[in-house]
Amino acid sequence: GENVEQHPSTLSVQEGDSAVIKCTYSDSASNYFPWYKQELGKRPQLIIDIRSNVGEKKDQRIAVTLNKTAKHFSLHITETQPEDSAVYFCAASYGGGGNKLTFGTGTQLKVEL
Amino acid sequence: EAGVAQSPRYKIIEKRQSVAFWCNPISGHATLYWYQQILGQGPKLLIQFQNNGVVDDSQLPKDRFSAERLKGVDSTLKIQPAKLEDSAVYLCASSSPRGGDYGYTFGSGTRLTVV
């Protein structure tokens, strides 16, 4: 089955700096890669996703890149703000997003003033 | 559009007791998922339903966990008997294809503490 590894487990940045979180996946059949933000005690919230026919996607301060050959994808957050502090999870799935998700182990992002 | 509804929000039970969680997906969503999220980890799929049929239950501990979705709408997940290691948040999610997007949505979860 699919296995997703995520690094780093914790990340501390200064407000305004950029943050990068990296994930690798094992199953070449995976074709959908969402990123979730989870605040303490709340549900995971989708912040951006990318499908395997695209190499990069951007939404305001958030971008995701995908390298299918190397089987890795990354989340980039620019101009970080304190409200970006949360746990971020990457995930992988096949079926374009209508199937089970295999999650990474999470990254605790702390944005310091 | 109403979200994925789950109840209860919190549950504390003693080990060896039984417990049940309920989920009502977004209206019209054919696929329903139950995930287990242990503190400090990512969610892990327990079972996936397509309408009222099971698609994947390979990671469901079937000696103690059971789930059903009899009418293809709401679903119940049961644990009997509970163990200490079952302490986790149980998340329900649903999805359905619509215009190229699946609308994958999580509920707020049920936090289970087994003492």
Side-chain angles (χ1 to χ4, degrees), chain B residues 8-100:
Chain B
R9 285 285 281 126
Y10 305 93
K11 192 73 176 179
I12 301 174
I13 62 172
E14 295 184 349
K15 59 183 179 183
R16 291 187 290 274
Q17 286 187 324
S18 62
V19 64
F21 314 127
W22 175 81
C23 172
N24 192 26
I26 290 175
S27 178
H29 276 197
T31 310
L32 184 147
Y33 316 80
W34 283 101
Y35 287 87
Q36 179 193 57
Q37 186 174 22
I38 294 172
L39 186 65
Q41 299 181 19
K44 182 186 81 173
L45 180 79
L46 292 175
I47 190 167
Q48 176 182 347
F49 291 96
Q50 179 74 20
N51 296 308
N52 61 348
V54 175
V55 174
D56 186 342
D57 63 356
S58 57
Q59 298 192 83
L60 186 74
K62 298 181 185 65
D63 57 335
R64 298 183 302 107
F65 285 64
S66 65
E68 59 184 15
R69 192 185 185 199
L70 293 176
K71 296 182 180 180
V73 180
D74 57 346
S75 175
T76 303
L77 176 68
K78 297 180 181 177
I79 307 175
Q80 183 179 14
K83 293 185 176 181
L84 296 176
E85 57 261 37
D86 298 332
S87 294
V89 175
Y90 291 84
L91 293 163
C92 180
S94 68
S95 71
S96 194
R98 188 173 304 167

Side-chain angles (χ1 to χ4, degrees), chain A residues 9-40:
Chain A
S9 57
T10 61
L11 179 60
S12 184
V13 299
Q14 294 293 316
E15 183 180 9
D17 286 352
S18 296
V20 180
I21 302 170
K22 299 181 179 182
C23 288
T24 59
Y25 62 98
S26 61
D27 190 347
S28 56
S30 290
N31 59 7
Y32 175 69
F33 307 93
W35 285 88
Y36 285 85
K37 176 182 180 182
Q38 188 172 33
E39 296 175 338
L40 192 62

Side-chain angles (χ1 to χ4, degrees), chain A residues 53-66:
Chain A
N53 58 345
V54 175
E56 184 174 356
K57 183 177 179 180
K58 188 174 182 180
D59 182 4
Q60 299 184 8
R61 298 186 297 109
I62 296 174
V64 57
T65 58
L66 170 66

